[in-house]
Amino acid sequence: MVFNDAYNSSNAYWVIPKKKINNKKIEFVVTNVFPEYNNGVIKSDRKMRGLGDCWIYEELTWNGRKFAPSAKNTTGSCNAFLGGTWRLPILVTRVVTK
């Protein structure tokens, strides 16, 4: 499922178990604002204004049970600098794989 607005797009994601669990219906369990999936990580880069002067970046990483927030940063306030000024971390994690 794809969602679009004037300058951003996104996909919807569901986690579907391999086995049927107690006749449970499949539910929407992951966000719909992340347009890119690769190797267990769902990423999002979104413009906050059409000028592209402020952005927000987020990641969700599969931890074996669910997609958990693993990174988030922003370019700060919208000040007419194309691409934003810098990336300011909001959430920083260390993903450990086994």
Side-chain angles (χ1 to χ4, degrees), residues 21-95:
I21 301 172
N22 300 330
N23 294 324
K24 187 176 180 182
K25 292 181 180 179
I26 302 300
E27 296 179 25
F28 180 72
V29 295
V30 183
T31 184
N32 66 349
V33 295
F34 289 76
E36 180 184 335
Y37 173 83
N38 187 12
N39 199 25
V41 179
I42 301 173
K43 297 180 181 182
S44 173
D45 297 340
R46 294 188 316 277
K47 286 185 188 182
M48 303 310 288
R49 285 198 328 179
L51 298 172
D53 61 347
C54 48
W55 291 74
I56 190 160
Y57 305 90
E58 297 180 75
E59 289 184 3
L60 300 174
T61 301
W62 181 251
N63 69 9
R65 291 184 301 113
K66 65 180 184 174
F67 282 95
S70 53
K72 185 173 184 178
N73 58 63
T74 179
T75 59
S77 61
C78 303
N79 289 325
F81 293 104
L82 188 60
T85 50
W86 48 72
R87 286 192 177 196
L88 304 167
I90 297 169
L91 172 69
V92 178
T93 62
R94 178 189 233 176
V95 178

